[in-house]
């Protein structure tokens, strides 16, 4: 397809566009949307397919409902996942993708998911009990510790011990590089992935990945040698699952899907929790309403009742709207001539649903830069207007689990602790690898333990 037939976009050099996308992505795509509309083309680097960013809900609806034979994601769409592996749900397409999705969905939904409620609350209390009254700390670090333990214990089913500690150490190292932008560049440019020895960036990465794999495969071998049908962790459920032909997942498939659940569910949940705590304490009236809603459940609320709270759900929804951790949905590769809106796209074009730009459409979300949970109490948004977990056949299978964890962690923290922001400066999102986190990790101060109802009355009085 010639550039003339593509939607309008910047005419600057492709490397300039790539630089702007890497260093200042949110302002860059917002500026493009203002100039070129809700469908525009970027050329992010030389000799790569043009990328069409789309924030028009009707067009996004078409993308999410188009037959995957015509338009799909996966490895052929440029999804590079060297840590996750080629059997990862993100990299697969076609029938293999459908098979894996069917096998993975049940353990992350319904009653099986709800069974992890007590574990999530216990882990949250264990981590937050280490907080020191009066000391500044980055809440993101605590949320990372919580989400990480939830994954190792609920997903991997690991108990405290040598293997748990080693896997924890290696995973933290590989998921939190000292120079995030370097890791981003290596992921975006495969040609730079050169193993020049243990001290080279990619060489170090490969050796760390190998150590992680050894631990994961050892755990899988032990489970197979000593099967325990009473186990309820997600790895055990995955190992017990069978496809339509009665076949189980291979060890390689189990490894790659475990890593996918870890990477997709660790940093994303921790970041969303940090943003939520920031907004809740940045706007005291939000905290008041939340505590009033939580207090009605009593001192030891049922996790399922917490999950159903309306205002808590609105707060989580608005958090995920304002600064979605992933600003774009997964790339979709056009496989056969396709019309989306007024545009005709030829094979080889990449279509990208822009989550961030869609969430900031003023016609959908007036004063879109403002944190207003009430939006989600006043109306319902379609899956093409509100899409923090993507959509179509590529919607995140861990969505229900992530929301469940997010609500329980917030409820536990708010019910037990009196906190405030360390300063009044607005917190801005910054790129952290391929995701976006709050700058500084949201600095907070613990004022003390919370006594139920008392704080709500005091805070309410201070707002009058």
């Amino acid at each position: 397809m010639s550039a003339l037939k593509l939607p309008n976009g910047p005419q600057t050099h492709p490397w300039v566009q790539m630089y702007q996308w890497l260093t200042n992505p949110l302002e860059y795509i917002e500026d493009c949307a203002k100039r070129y509309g809700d469908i525009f083309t970027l050329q992010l680097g030389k000799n790569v397919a043009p990328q069409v960013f789309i924030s028009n809900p009707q067009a996004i609806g078409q993308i999410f409902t188009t037959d995957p034979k015509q338009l799909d994601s996966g490895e052929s769409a440029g999804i590079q996942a060297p840590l996750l592996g080629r059997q990862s749900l993100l990299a697969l397409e076609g029938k293999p993708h459908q098979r894996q999705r069917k096998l993975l969905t049940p353990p992350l939904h319904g009653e099986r998911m709800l069974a992890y409620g007590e574990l999530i609350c216990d882990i949250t209390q264990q981590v937050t009990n280490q907080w020191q009254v009066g000391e500044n700390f980055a809440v993101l670090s605590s949320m990372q510790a919580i989400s990480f333990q939830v994954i190792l214990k609920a997903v991997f089913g690991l108990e405290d011990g040598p293997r748990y500690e080693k896997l924890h150490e290696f995973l933290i190292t590989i998921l939190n590089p000292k120079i995030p932008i370097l890791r981003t560049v290596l992921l975006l440019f495969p040609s730079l992935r050169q193993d020049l020895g243990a001290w080279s960036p990619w060489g170090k990465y490969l050796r760390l990945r190998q150590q992680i794999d050894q631990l994961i495969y050892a755990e899988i071998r032990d489970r197979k040698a000593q099967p325990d049908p009473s186990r309820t962790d997600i790895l055990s459920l995955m190992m017990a699952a069978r496809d339509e032909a009665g076949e189980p997942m291979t060890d390689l498939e189990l490894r790659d899907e475990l890593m996918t659940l870890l990477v997709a569910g660790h940093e994303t949940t921790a970041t969303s929790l940090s943003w939520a705590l920031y907004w809740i304490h940045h706007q005291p009236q939000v905290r008041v309403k939340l505590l009033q809603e939580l207090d009605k459940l009593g001192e030891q609320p049922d996790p399922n009742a917490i999950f159903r709270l309306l205002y808590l759900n609105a707060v989580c929804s608005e958090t995920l709207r304002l600064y979605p951790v992933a600003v774009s949905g997964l790339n979709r590769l056009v496989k056969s001539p396709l019309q989306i809106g007024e545009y005709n796209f030829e094979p080889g074009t990449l279509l990208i649903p822009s989550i961030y730009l869609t969430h900031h459409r003023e016609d959908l979300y007036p004063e879109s830069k403002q944190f207003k949970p009430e939006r989600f109490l006043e109306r319902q948004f379609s899956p093409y207007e509100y899409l923090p977990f993507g959509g179509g056949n590529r919607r995140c299978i861990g969505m229900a689990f992530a929301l469940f964890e997010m609500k329980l962690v917030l409820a536990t923290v708010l019910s037990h602790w009196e906190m405030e922001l360390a300063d009044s400066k607005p917190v801005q999102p910054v790129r952290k690898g391929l995701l976006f986190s709050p700058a500084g990790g949201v600095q907070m101060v613990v004022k003390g333990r919370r006594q139920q109802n008392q704080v709500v009355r005091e805070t309410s009085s201070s707002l009058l």
Side-chain angles (χ1 to χ4, degrees), residues 38-94:
D38 53 16
I39 301 180
F40 60 86
T41 304
L42 294 182
Q43 189 73 47
L44 302 176
K46 293 278 285 184
N47 303 318
V48 295
Q51 299 186 15
V52 180
F53 284 68
I54 299 174
S55 57
N56 178 292
Q58 290 73 34
I60 289 175
Q62 287 181 266
I63 291 173
F64 287 170
T65 54
T66 294
D67 190 319
K69 293 178 182 178
Q70 272 192 288
L71 181 71
D72 201 6
S73 189
E75 194 170 20
S76 64
I79 302 299
Q80 298 288 327
L83 177 59
L84 309 185
R86 301 185 71 177
Q87 296 303 311
S88 163
L89 197 62
L90 296 179
L92 294 172
E93 53 192 292

Side-chain angles (χ1 to χ4, degrees), residues 272-284:
S272 298
L273 283 165
S274 302
W275 275 122
L277 288 169
Y278 166 72
W279 289 114
I280 288 166
H281 292 85
H282 184 69
Q283 297 185 190

